[in-house]
Amino acid sequence: GGAYTGVSYQTLSALGRMPLISAIIQTRINQVAEFARPAPDRHSAGFVLRARDSQAEMSEEQREKIAALQKWLMSCGDSRVVGTTTFEAFLRMLTRDSLVYDQACFEVIYMKGRPAAFKVVDASSIRPSAPSREELREGRRDPKKAAYVQVIDNKVVAEFSRQEMGWGIRRPRSSLRGRGYGFPELEELYPT
């Protein structure tokens, strides 16, 4: 998709390290992290996994499935893939990237056709892939081709499908200059 044409990732990163801005970002990260664990009761911060029909009585099988999903979520999936990463660490990293770059990226790793784990990927290294000539001619993306690429030292080192890469922006914009990227708050601070 070509490089982002607004303020560079390096500049956004430097702005995010300024003491006052860093303190604000860390406060928000800490607030988000409060929701990284199961809520002990309905009046506390945290998350709740429940059946779709919250009014229906849950079976023992549903309770066991929810407990297994909660354990999987808290460990970000299979530890053979993500090591000792916790859901809290995942949210802290994802939130920092979102607040600095307005881009939060995570990889979903599949085993035997099912999601086995998920992990944060450095958002400053992920770009939407450029559409091929054929895709441009047809006016739509081929769902089988890479939707995102990882660029390190100006080289594409990995490709990801839409199912393999979570791409989140909080402040979308329609401008051509934005090229599908978000509008980070830090960009508003930078005189252009």
Side-chain angles (χ1 to χ4, degrees), residues 9 12-13 25 29 90-106 120-126 168 170 184-186:
Y9 287 105
L12 291 170
S13 180
I25 288 171
I29 290 169
F90 170 86
L91 281 181
R92 285 179 179 277
M93 290 182 280
L94 199 71
T95 301
R96 178 174 303 282
D97 282 354
S98 178
L99 292 173
V100 172
Y101 308 115
D102 190 12
Q103 184 178 320
C105 300
F106 64 94
V120 172
V121 179
D122 177 1
S124 70
S125 72
I126 303 297
R170 293 174 293 104
E185 291 84 355
L186 297 179

Side-chain angles (χ1 to χ4, degrees), residues 56-75:
E57 186 68 32
M58 267 200 291
S59 69
E60 188 57 35
E61 182 182 342
Q62 285 174 315
R63 281 188 185 83
E64 288 173 9
K65 191 177 235 181
I66 286 173
L69 282 171
Q70 183 173 296
K71 182 179 178 188
W72 185 86
L73 180 67
M74 294 297 292
S75 65

Side-chain angles (χ1 to χ4, degrees), residues 16 19-35 92 95-96 99:
L20 179 60
I21 294 170
S22 179
I24 293 167
I25 288 171
Q26 191 60 51
T27 297
R28 289 290 182 231
I29 290 169
N30 291 341
Q31 290 168 336
V32 168
E34 288 294 314
F35 293 88
R92 285 179 179 277
T95 301
R96 178 174 303 282
L99 292 173

